[in-house]
Amino acid sequence: RFREMICGTGATYRQTGRRWGKKMIRTAAQSTRLRGRATGCTSISILMTCMFLALAPLHALARTETLLLDGDSAPSHAAAFSGFDAPVVGDSAYSRLAFTASLQRPGPDFSGLFIVGSDSGVRMLARRGFGTARMRFRKIKDPSINSVGDIAWLARIRRGSAIFRTIGSVRPVAIAIRGDRVLGDSRLSRVGGPILTADEGTVFWSKLRGGNRRQSILRCRGGDGNCRTG
């Protein structure tokens, strides 16, 4: 502000001198004095800038960290990653992120659900073809992760769409399957979009049949987290 007042005043007097010839001598004298002040102002400005740069804290530059690349070896089954879907990120100390990926190996392609832990280690949680005859995964997608490291996802099985999730250290369980009864006489005809919540519940979208409602958003929470057994 002080510098602007000094330099600005000098510029004003110079303009005044050009506009009004009668005040040329007086203005020239004032301009000479103010030009010296402006020069001093510039020197002070340079000095202050150098001091600011010297005293300003040095910030670390951001950098990109590579977690995985196609062609990297996948855990188990002697397979390599051939492609990735968008990951989901959590703030758990145990699981940093979850993602689905396709695997390339001699023979047909496979896909699976993987998690990356706080130590950057990769672990496979589920894979296409895993499970029993009635619960075998035909497709895995739409993972979700919460603050304690539980993971939910949508899968296609023999009976249709289903939502699976981990509950603590227990193996993955199905919490909603096509055909399950909800809302009295209604049954699930399709489920999708599972989201894990901070209170360890699971919210998901569904289509209904058998009642007077056609769609719903449902939340499964409380107990052991499995509404099929609750």
Side-chain angles (χ1 to χ4, degrees):
R1 184 71 178 172
F2 176 77
R3 192 181 112 186
E4 290 176 357
M5 290 174 61
I6 294 293
C7 298
T9 304
T12 300
Y13 274 113
R14 284 194 294 274
Q15 291 173 359
T16 302
R18 287 194 296 268
R19 292 178 181 178
W20 306 99
K22 294 181 181 180
K23 299 181 180 179
M24 201 64 164
I25 297 176
R26 180 169 60 87
T27 301
Q30 291 175 336
S31 179
T32 301
R33 290 195 301 271
L34 290 169
R35 190 178 296 113
R37 293 183 188 178
T39 303
C41 173
T42 302
S43 301
I44 294 174
S45 176
I46 295 174
L47 178 61
M48 292 180 67
T49 301
C50 294
M51 291 177 63
F52 173 78
L53 293 176
L55 297 176
L58 297 177
H59 296 283
L61 297 177
R63 62 188 181 90
T64 301
E65 177 186 4
T66 302
L67 297 179
L68 290 167
L69 295 169
D70 63 315
D72 287 352
S73 296
S76 304
H77 302 283
F81 290 112
S82 62
F84 306 98
D85 294 317
V88 291
V89 180
D91 55 4
S92 166
Y94 306 101
S95 301
R96 292 174 56 187
L97 59 89
F99 63 94
T100 54
S102 56
L103 303 175
Q104 184 65 52
R105 55 178 295 182
D109 285 343
F110 291 88
S111 60
L113 173 63
F114 300 85
I115 58 175
V116 178
S118 57
D119 59 353
S120 296
V122 182
R123 182 166 67 91
M124 184 172 65
L125 190 60
R127 184 176 68 81
R128 180 182 176 187
F130 274 12
T132 63
R134 296 185 62 189
M135 292 285 191
R136 195 178 306 280
F137 296 133
R138 296 183 176 183
K139 189 173 184 179
I140 301 170
K141 64 177 185 177
D142 299 341
S144 175
I145 186 171
N146 65 8
S147 59
V148 297
D150 293 330
I151 298 173
W153 66 93
L154 176 65
R156 185 168 296 280
I157 60 175
R158 182 179 178 183
R159 289 176 56 182
S161 56
I163 292 175
F164 288 78
R165 66 163 292 176
T166 59
I167 301 174
S169 59
V170 181
R171 61 181 299 177
V173 296
I175 65 168
I177 299 179
R178 179 179 180 271
D180 286 353
R181 187 184 296 275
V182 294
L183 304 174
D185 294 333
S186 297
R187 291 182 179 272
L188 300 176
S189 65
R190 185 180 175 185
V191 294
I195 299 293
L196 287 172
T197 60
D199 60 359
E200 301 184 33
T202 308
V203 177
F204 59 95
W205 164 88
S206 69
K207 282 189 174 182
L208 305 174
R209 61 179 173 84
N212 58 359
R213 303 293 179 140
R214 294 293 176 262
Q215 294 191 30
S216 67
I217 295 177
L218 303 175
R219 176 169 58 184
C220 172
R221 67 173 179 174
D224 62 357
N226 185 358
C227 290
R228 302 192 75 231
T229 61

